Amino acid sequence: MTNADPQELAKFSDLAHKWWDPESEFRPLHEINPLRLDWIDQLAAIKGKNVADVGCGGGILAESMARKGANVLGVDLADKPLKVAQLHAMEAGVANLDYRSVAAEALAAEQPSHFDVVTCMEMLEHVPDPSSIVQACFDMAKPGGWVFFSTINRNPKAFLFAIVGAEYMLKLLPKGTHEFSRFIRPAELARWAREAGLDLVQFKGMEYNPITRRYWLSGDTSVNYMMACRKPLAS
Ligand code: SAH
């Protein structure tokens, strides 16, 4: 059985045609992308590296990493976003970029210890068994390779900001985008990463000011956050 929720995949397929519209429901992904791209690149120096982007969707992060010179494989299980991603890369003439419909666990079994860098952003909170995705990201990374995750914390503030604020008040995201019970505490993500065999390197919070409409990185992981890990050399 695939570790995927068909309703979640359908949500992203239904909106896929809007993926590259920076004023659409995907505006938050467009706005946070330069921040996360720079952070990933500062730590992992992606130029010339083999990168897997797990849950790549329409390819906002995947394509930007390819533009920085990485060889990127984006994978997802929602077909429409993948098609949009492929078309966009073709029209933009971005090379070093492939997309495939394959489960993270299957890719890890097919290409173990293959990727210098694995990114898995804003995806874990949409899957039935996120720890299995974390394990797959470890498995597909080379020893010494980097693995990056981002997701949303689970606490009253995150409920208020990520669901009530973003979906109902500011309408940044469609209602029903996120389910509170699927949010993941940093300690839970850290435990899954350690159990998979990863070393934790850094946590970063991502904050948003609704008045200035600006995002920035900080030490505050109480709502949106990212985690950088490395696969130990001897593994
Ligand atoms: N990572 C991208 C897209 C985030 S949206 C970015 O940050 O820009 C979440 C994505 O996760 C969607 O494209 C959705 O189709 C994908 N997804 C959800 N469940 C999945 C699963 N089980 N396997 C692979 N991708 C999945």
Side-chain angles (χ1 to χ4, degrees):
M1 250 183 44
T2 311
N3 177 19
D5 180 337
Q7 280 181 332
E8 290 288 320
L9 299 178
K11 268 193 239 174
F12 291 101
S13 272
D14 288 348
L15 288 171
H17 56 289
K18 296 194 188 166
W19 212 288
W20 283 90
D21 175 356
E23 297 305 321
S24 73
E25 291 84 344
F26 296 99
R27 192 176 99 196
L29 292 183
H30 287 277
E31 292 193 336
I32 65 174
N33 200 55
L35 295 173
R36 60 190 187 178
L37 174 67
D38 282 352
W39 182 64
I40 291 166
D41 196 30
Q42 272 166 24
L43 287 169
I46 61 175
K47 188 169 182 195
K49 305 262 173 80
N50 282 335
V51 180
D53 187 25
V54 174
C56 62
I60 295 171
L61 178 65
E63 193 175 300
S64 68
M65 293 193 290
R67 283 179 192 274
K68 281 217 180 259
N71 303 309
V72 182
L73 173 66
V75 299
D76 205 288
L77 288 175
D79 288 338
K80 282 192 190 160
L82 274 179
K83 287 209 178 89
V84 167
Q86 263 155 355
L87 259 176
H88 196 273
M90 217 169 73
E91 281 175 7
V94 181
N96 319 321
L97 178 55
D98 278 318
Y99 290 106
R100 274 181 64 193
S101 174
V102 58
E105 292 88 347
L107 181 65
E110 186 192 295
Q111 302 193 60
S113 301
H114 178 75
F115 295 96
D116 302 295
V117 180
V118 181
T119 54
C120 178
M121 314 302 268
E122 315 301 328
M123 182 268 198
L124 293 173
E125 68 276 18
H126 299 285
V127 299
D129 180 2
S131 67
S132 161
I133 305 285
V134 172
Q135 181 69 55
C137 291
F138 169 88
D139 292 341
M140 69 178 83
K142 275 185 194 165
W146 286 88
V147 183
F148 296 89
F149 299 101
S150 71
T151 188
I152 308 175
N153 202 336
R154 193 176 69 257
N155 58 42
K157 181 180 170 190
F159 177 73
L160 200 67
F161 279 54
I163 296 185
V164 180
E167 295 183 16
Y168 289 82
M169 290 165 66
L170 302 172
K171 300 190 167 52
L172 294 172
L173 297 170
K175 295 187 181 83
T177 299
H178 287 119
E179 223 174 280
F180 180 67
S181 62
R182 287 202 153 153
F183 288 176
I184 298 165
R185 294 196 181 112
E188 292 164 337
L189 183 55
R191 177 164 49 82
W192 296 334
R194 271 195 301 267
E195 282 171 3
L198 288 164
D199 291 334
L200 309 190
V201 178
Q202 206 178 102
F203 276 99
K204 274 278 176 217
M206 219 158 17
E207 294 187 70
Y208 179 65
N209 179 331
I211 297 169
T212 59
R213 293 173 157 200
R214 289 273 166 260
Y215 289 86
W216 67 97
L217 300 189
S218 76
D220 181 353
T221 57
S222 58
V223 184
N224 292 87
Y225 67 95
M226 307 191 283
M227 183 175 83
C229 312
R230 280 194 101 159
K231 180 163 174 170
L233 268 174
S235 57

PDB file of all heavy atoms in Angstrom, residues 4 8 17 25 28 32 34 37 40 63 68 79 89 96 130 141 148 154 156-157 163 166 185 199 201 220:
ATOM      1  N   ALA A   4       0.126   7.333   0.976  1.00  0.00           N
ATOM      2  CA  ALA A   4      -0.410   8.566   0.400  1.00  0.00           C
ATOM      3  C   ALA A   4      -1.902   8.636   0.692  1.00  0.00           C
ATOM      4  O   ALA A   4      -2.569   7.606   0.802  1.00  0.00           O
ATOM      5  CB  ALA A   4      -0.183   8.609  -1.101  1.00  0.00           C
ATOM      6  N   GLU A   8      -5.764  14.129  -0.261  1.00  0.00           N
ATOM      7  CA  GLU A   8      -4.728  15.169  -0.211  1.00  0.00           C
ATOM      8  C   GLU A   8      -4.156  15.392  -1.614  1.00  0.00           C
ATOM      9  O   GLU A   8      -3.966  16.523  -2.048  1.00  0.00           O
ATOM     10  CB  GLU A   8      -3.600  14.760   0.749  1.00  0.00           C
ATOM     11  CG  GLU A   8      -4.004  14.763   2.201  1.00  0.00           C
ATOM     12  CD  GLU A   8      -4.197  16.178   2.760  1.00  0.00           C
ATOM     13  OE1 GLU A   8      -3.396  17.069   2.429  1.00  0.00           O
ATOM     14  OE2 GLU A   8      -5.157  16.388   3.516  1.00  0.00           O
ATOM     15  N   HIS A  17      -3.323  23.998 -12.013  1.00  0.00           N
ATOM     16  CA  HIS A  17      -3.170  24.979 -13.089  1.00  0.00           C
ATOM     17  C   HIS A  17      -2.773  26.357 -12.565  1.00  0.00           C
ATOM     18  O   HIS A  17      -2.353  27.218 -13.333  1.00  0.00           O
ATOM     19  CB  HIS A  17      -4.474  25.069 -13.896  1.00  0.00           C
ATOM     20  CG  HIS A  17      -5.671  25.399 -13.061  1.00  0.00           C
ATOM     21  ND1 HIS A  17      -6.238  24.507 -12.172  1.00  0.00           N
ATOM     22  CD2 HIS A  17      -6.381  26.537 -12.956  1.00  0.00           C
ATOM     23  CE1 HIS A  17      -7.260  25.083 -11.557  1.00  0.00           C
ATOM     24  NE2 HIS A  17      -7.366  26.317 -12.020  1.00  0.00           N
ATOM     25  N   GLU A  25      -3.406  30.766  -4.810  1.00  0.00           N
ATOM     26  CA  GLU A  25      -3.297  30.033  -3.549  1.00  0.00           C
ATOM     27  C   GLU A  25      -1.856  29.615  -3.265  1.00  0.00           C
ATOM     28  O   GLU A  25      -1.510  29.264  -2.138  1.00  0.00           O
ATOM     29  CB  GLU A  25      -4.158  28.762  -3.607  1.00  0.00           C
ATOM     30  CG  GLU A  25      -5.654  28.992  -3.612  1.00  0.00           C
ATOM     31  CD  GLU A  25      -6.233  29.287  -4.994  1.00  0.00           C
ATOM     32  OE1 GLU A  25      -5.466  29.613  -5.932  1.00  0.00           O
ATOM     33  OE2 GLU A  25      -7.466  29.208  -5.136  1.00  0.00           O
ATOM     34  N   PRO A  28       2.004  31.853  -1.010  1.00  0.00           N
ATOM     35  CA  PRO A  28       2.951  31.638   0.102  1.00  0.00           C
ATOM     36  C   PRO A  28       4.187  30.827  -0.324  1.00  0.00           C
ATOM     37  O   PRO A  28       5.297  31.154   0.080  1.00  0.00           O
ATOM     38  CB  PRO A  28       2.113  30.886   1.139  1.00  0.00           C
ATOM     39  CG  PRO A  28       0.701  31.323   0.868  1.00  0.00           C
ATOM     40  CD  PRO A  28       0.620  31.487  -0.630  1.00  0.00           C
ATOM     41  N   ILE A  32       7.979  32.261   0.060  1.00  0.00           N
ATOM     42  CA  ILE A  32       9.006  31.685   0.944  1.00  0.00           C
ATOM     43  C   ILE A  32      10.147  31.064   0.152  1.00  0.00           C
ATOM     44  O   ILE A  32      11.209  30.794   0.713  1.00  0.00           O
ATOM     45  CB  ILE A  32       8.429  30.618   1.920  1.00  0.00           C
ATOM     46  CG1 ILE A  32       7.893  29.389   1.162  1.00  0.00           C
ATOM     47  CG2 ILE A  32       7.378  31.231   2.830  1.00  0.00           C
ATOM     48  CD1 ILE A  32       7.454  28.247   2.091  1.00  0.00           C
ATOM     49  N   PRO A  34      12.552  31.994  -2.091  1.00  0.00           N
ATOM     50  CA  PRO A  34      13.928  32.509  -2.057  1.00  0.00           C
ATOM     51  C   PRO A  34      14.580  32.287  -0.692  1.00  0.00           C
ATOM     52  O   PRO A  34      15.782  31.996  -0.621  1.00  0.00           O
ATOM     53  CB  PRO A  34      13.758  34.006  -2.344  1.00  0.00           C
ATOM     54  CG  PRO A  34      12.418  34.142  -2.985  1.00  0.00           C
ATOM     55  CD  PRO A  34      11.569  33.024  -2.457  1.00  0.00           C
ATOM     56  N   LEU A  37      15.427  28.494  -0.394  1.00  0.00           N
ATOM     57  CA  LEU A  37      16.463  28.154  -1.382  1.00  0.00           C
ATOM     58  C   LEU A  37      17.835  28.631  -0.905  1.00  0.00           C
ATOM     59  O   LEU A  37      18.817  27.875  -0.945  1.00  0.00           O
ATOM     60  CB  LEU A  37      16.102  28.794  -2.729  1.00  0.00           C
ATOM     61  CG  LEU A  37      17.129  28.663  -3.842  1.00  0.00           C
ATOM     62  CD1 LEU A  37      17.281  27.207  -4.274  1.00  0.00           C
ATOM     63  CD2 LEU A  37      16.739  29.528  -5.052  1.00  0.00           C
ATOM     64  N   ILE A  40      19.060  26.497   2.091  1.00  0.00           N
ATOM     65  CA  ILE A  40      19.508  25.179   1.640  1.00  0.00           C
ATOM     66  C   ILE A  40      20.873  25.306   0.956  1.00  0.00           C
ATOM     67  O   ILE A  40      21.806  24.544   1.223  1.00  0.00           O
ATOM     68  CB  ILE A  40      18.469  24.563   0.668  1.00  0.00           C
ATOM     69  CG1 ILE A  40      17.183  24.204   1.414  1.00  0.00           C
ATOM     70  CG2 ILE A  40      19.042  23.351  -0.069  1.00  0.00           C
ATOM     71  CD1 ILE A  40      15.987  23.899   0.507  1.00  0.00           C
ATOM     72  N   GLU A  63      12.618  23.675  -9.488  1.00  0.00           N
ATOM     73  CA  GLU A  63      13.127  24.450 -10.625  1.00  0.00           C
ATOM     74  C   GLU A  63      14.137  25.500 -10.172  1.00  0.00           C
ATOM     75  O   GLU A  63      15.144  25.743 -10.844  1.00  0.00           O
ATOM     76  CB  GLU A  63      11.955  25.111 -11.378  1.00  0.00           C
ATOM     77  CG  GLU A  63      12.392  25.651 -12.715  1.00  0.00           C
ATOM     78  CD  GLU A  63      11.234  26.194 -13.542  1.00  0.00           C
ATOM     79  OE1 GLU A  63      10.299  25.434 -13.861  1.00  0.00           O
ATOM     80  OE2 GLU A  63      11.281  27.391 -13.877  1.00  0.00           O
ATOM     81  N   LYS A  68      20.008  27.072 -10.000  1.00  0.00           N
ATOM     82  CA  LYS A  68      21.270  27.304  -9.285  1.00  0.00           C
ATOM     83  C   LYS A  68      22.337  26.297  -9.691  1.00  0.00           C
ATOM     84  O   LYS A  68      23.421  26.267  -9.105  1.00  0.00           O
ATOM     85  CB  LYS A  68      21.042  27.233  -7.765  1.00  0.00           C
ATOM     86  CG  LYS A  68      20.445  28.484  -7.182  1.00  0.00           C
ATOM     87  CD  LYS A  68      21.025  28.771  -5.799  1.00  0.00           C
ATOM     88  CE  LYS A  68      20.431  30.021  -5.187  1.00  0.00           C
ATOM     89  NZ  LYS A  68      21.318  31.177  -5.299  1.00  0.00           N
ATOM     90  N   ASP A  79      -0.612  13.737 -10.126  1.00  0.00           N
ATOM     91  CA  ASP A  79      -0.193  13.795 -11.534  1.00  0.00           C
ATOM     92  C   ASP A  79      -0.256  15.187 -12.140  1.00  0.00           C
ATOM     93  O   ASP A  79       0.641  15.582 -12.872  1.00  0.00           O
ATOM     94  CB  ASP A  79      -1.040  12.825 -12.367  1.00  0.00           C
ATOM     95  CG  ASP A  79      -0.654  11.389 -12.053  1.00  0.00           C
ATOM     96  OD1 ASP A  79       0.479  11.200 -11.561  1.00  0.00           O
ATOM     97  OD2 ASP A  79      -1.475  10.484 -12.280  1.00  0.00           O
ATOM     98  N   ALA A  89       9.091  23.784 -16.710  1.00  0.00           N
ATOM     99  CA  ALA A  89      10.543  23.632 -16.905  1.00  0.00           C
ATOM    100  C   ALA A  89      10.878  23.673 -18.390  1.00  0.00           C
ATOM    101  O   ALA A  89      11.876  24.275 -18.803  1.00  0.00           O
ATOM    102  CB  ALA A  89      11.013  22.310 -16.291  1.00  0.00           C
ATOM    103  N   ASN A  96      18.816  20.136 -16.525  1.00  0.00           N
ATOM    104  CA  ASN A  96      19.188  19.472 -15.252  1.00  0.00           C
ATOM    105  C   ASN A  96      17.990  19.265 -14.342  1.00  0.00           C
ATOM    106  O   ASN A  96      18.111  19.357 -13.125  1.00  0.00           O
ATOM    107  CB  ASN A  96      20.206  20.283 -14.430  1.00  0.00           C
ATOM    108  CG  ASN A  96      21.277  20.904 -15.260  1.00  0.00           C
ATOM    109  OD1 ASN A  96      21.752  20.283 -16.215  1.00  0.00           O
ATOM    110  ND2 ASN A  96      21.650  22.108 -14.924  1.00  0.00           N
ATOM    111  N   PRO A 130       4.233  10.045   8.027  1.00  0.00           N
ATOM    112  CA  PRO A 130       5.376  10.900   7.696  1.00  0.00           C
ATOM    113  C   PRO A 130       6.728  10.291   8.090  1.00  0.00           C
ATOM    114  O   PRO A 130       7.733  10.549   7.424  1.00  0.00           O
ATOM    115  CB  PRO A 130       5.108  12.202   8.451  1.00  0.00           C
ATOM    116  CG  PRO A 130       3.969  11.938   9.363  1.00  0.00           C
ATOM    117  CD  PRO A 130       3.268  10.711   8.911  1.00  0.00           C
ATOM    118  N   ALA A 141      19.600   9.395   0.530  1.00  0.00           N
ATOM    119  CA  ALA A 141      20.736  10.327   0.638  1.00  0.00           C
ATOM    120  C   ALA A 141      22.048   9.562   0.689  1.00  0.00           C
ATOM    121  O   ALA A 141      22.128   8.460   1.234  1.00  0.00           O
ATOM    122  CB  ALA A 141      20.588  11.181   1.890  1.00  0.00           C
ATOM    123  N   PHE A 148      16.710  18.000   4.052  1.00  0.00           N
ATOM    124  CA  PHE A 148      15.973  19.164   4.571  1.00  0.00           C
ATOM    125  C   PHE A 148      14.472  18.867   4.606  1.00  0.00           C
ATOM    126  O   PHE A 148      13.914  18.341   3.640  1.00  0.00           O
ATOM    127  CB  PHE A 148      16.172  20.371   3.648  1.00  0.00           C
ATOM    128  CG  PHE A 148      17.600  20.851   3.575  1.00  0.00           C
ATOM    129  CD1 PHE A 148      18.482  20.328   2.625  1.00  0.00           C
ATOM    130  CD2 PHE A 148      18.052  21.829   4.452  1.00  0.00           C
ATOM    131  CE1 PHE A 148      19.793  20.778   2.561  1.00  0.00           C
ATOM    132  CE2 PHE A 148      19.367  22.280   4.390  1.00  0.00           C
ATOM    133  CZ  PHE A 148      20.234  21.756   3.442  1.00  0.00           C
ATOM    134  N   ARG A 154       2.557  21.799  15.788  1.00  0.00           N
ATOM    135  CA  ARG A 154       1.211  21.505  16.286  1.00  0.00           C
ATOM    136  C   ARG A 154       1.049  22.061  17.707  1.00  0.00           C
ATOM    137  O   ARG A 154       1.540  21.467  18.665  1.00  0.00           O
ATOM    138  CB  ARG A 154       0.959  19.995  16.280  1.00  0.00           C
ATOM    139  CG  ARG A 154      -0.513  19.625  16.492  1.00  0.00           C
ATOM    140  CD  ARG A 154      -0.776  18.132  16.385  1.00  0.00           C
ATOM    141  NE  ARG A 154      -0.199  17.371  17.470  1.00  0.00           N
ATOM    142  CZ  ARG A 154       0.904  16.651  17.409  1.00  0.00           C
ATOM    143  NH1 ARG A 154       1.564  16.550  16.288  1.00  0.00           N
ATOM    144  NH2 ARG A 154       1.366  16.009  18.461  1.00  0.00           N
ATOM    145  N   PRO A 156      -1.484  25.509  19.932  1.00  0.00           N
ATOM    146  CA  PRO A 156      -2.592  26.464  19.728  1.00  0.00           C
ATOM    147  C   PRO A 156      -2.215  27.635  18.814  1.00  0.00           C
ATOM    148  O   PRO A 156      -3.022  28.069  17.991  1.00  0.00           O
ATOM    149  CB  PRO A 156      -2.909  26.937  21.150  1.00  0.00           C
ATOM    150  CG  PRO A 156      -2.466  25.813  22.024  1.00  0.00           C
ATOM    151  CD  PRO A 156      -1.249  25.236  21.363  1.00  0.00           C
ATOM    152  N   LYS A 157      -0.984  28.131  18.927  1.00  0.00           N
ATOM    153  CA  LYS A 157      -0.576  29.266  18.080  1.00  0.00           C
ATOM    154  C   LYS A 157      -0.550  28.852  16.606  1.00  0.00           C
ATOM    155  O   LYS A 157      -0.997  29.597  15.724  1.00  0.00           O
ATOM    156  CB  LYS A 157       0.800  29.779  18.507  1.00  0.00           C
ATOM    157  CG  LYS A 157       1.249  30.978  17.682  1.00  0.00           C
ATOM    158  CD  LYS A 157       2.630  31.489  18.109  1.00  0.00           C
ATOM    159  CE  LYS A 157       3.145  32.524  17.112  1.00  0.00           C
ATOM    160  NZ  LYS A 157       4.559  32.859  17.362  1.00  0.00           N
ATOM    161  N   ILE A 163      -4.090  27.909  10.375  1.00  0.00           N
ATOM    162  CA  ILE A 163      -5.428  27.533   9.895  1.00  0.00           C
ATOM    163  C   ILE A 163      -6.385  28.731   9.977  1.00  0.00           C
ATOM    164  O   ILE A 163      -6.844  29.229   8.950  1.00  0.00           O
ATOM    165  CB  ILE A 163      -5.966  26.285  10.635  1.00  0.00           C
ATOM    166  CG1 ILE A 163      -5.040  25.093  10.294  1.00  0.00           C
ATOM    167  CG2 ILE A 163      -7.421  26.000  10.211  1.00  0.00           C
ATOM    168  CD1 ILE A 163      -5.453  23.766  10.827  1.00  0.00           C
ATOM    169  N   ALA A 166      -4.370  31.938   8.218  1.00  0.00           N
ATOM    170  CA  ALA A 166      -4.001  31.804   6.801  1.00  0.00           C
ATOM    171  C   ALA A 166      -5.179  31.371   5.930  1.00  0.00           C
ATOM    172  O   ALA A 166      -5.321  31.819   4.796  1.00  0.00           O
ATOM    173  CB  ALA A 166      -2.844  30.815   6.662  1.00  0.00           C
ATOM    174  N   ARG A 185       5.150  18.354  15.589  1.00  0.00           N
ATOM    175  CA  ARG A 185       6.011  19.120  16.498  1.00  0.00           C
ATOM    176  C   ARG A 185       7.475  18.895  16.124  1.00  0.00           C
ATOM    177  O   ARG A 185       7.843  17.789  15.714  1.00  0.00           O
ATOM    178  CB  ARG A 185       5.796  18.659  17.936  1.00  0.00           C
ATOM    179  CG  ARG A 185       4.416  18.972  18.445  1.00  0.00           C
ATOM    180  CD  ARG A 185       4.370  18.862  19.976  1.00  0.00           C
ATOM    181  NE  ARG A 185       3.026  19.149  20.429  1.00  0.00           N
ATOM    182  CZ  ARG A 185       2.218  18.236  20.978  1.00  0.00           C
ATOM    183  NH1 ARG A 185       2.643  16.996  21.166  1.00  0.00           N
ATOM    184  NH2 ARG A 185       1.004  18.580  21.334  1.00  0.00           N
ATOM    185  N   ASP A 199      21.694  12.930  11.515  1.00  0.00           N
ATOM    186  CA  ASP A 199      22.172  13.877  12.530  1.00  0.00           C
ATOM    187  C   ASP A 199      21.459  15.198  12.307  1.00  0.00           C
ATOM    188  O   ASP A 199      21.391  15.688  11.178  1.00  0.00           O
ATOM    189  CB  ASP A 199      23.685  14.129  12.369  1.00  0.00           C
ATOM    190  CG  ASP A 199      24.501  12.898  12.741  1.00  0.00           C
ATOM    191  OD1 ASP A 199      24.000  12.082  13.545  1.00  0.00           O
ATOM    192  OD2 ASP A 199      25.628  12.763  12.227  1.00  0.00           O
ATOM    193  N   VAL A 201      21.157  19.136  12.286  1.00  0.00           N
ATOM    194  CA  VAL A 201      22.130  20.227  12.166  1.00  0.00           C
ATOM    195  C   VAL A 201      21.526  21.564  12.585  1.00  0.00           C
ATOM    196  O   VAL A 201      22.127  22.312  13.342  1.00  0.00           O
ATOM    197  CB  VAL A 201      22.684  20.327  10.722  1.00  0.00           C
ATOM    198  CG1 VAL A 201      23.657  21.489  10.591  1.00  0.00           C
ATOM    199  CG2 VAL A 201      23.352  19.017  10.306  1.00  0.00           C
ATOM    200  N   ASP A 220      12.307  31.216  15.700  1.00  0.00           N
ATOM    201  CA  ASP A 220      10.990  30.898  16.268  1.00  0.00           C
ATOM    202  C   ASP A 220      10.300  29.800  15.442  1.00  0.00           C
ATOM    203  O   ASP A 220       9.762  30.053  14.364  1.00  0.00           O
ATOM    204  CB  ASP A 220      10.148  32.174  16.290  1.00  0.00           C
ATOM    205  CG  ASP A 220       8.754  31.927  16.886  1.00  0.00           C
ATOM    206  OD1 ASP A 220       8.412  30.751  17.147  1.00  0.00           O
ATOM    207  OD2 ASP A 220       8.027  32.905  17.078  1.00  0.00           O
TER     208      ASP A 220
END
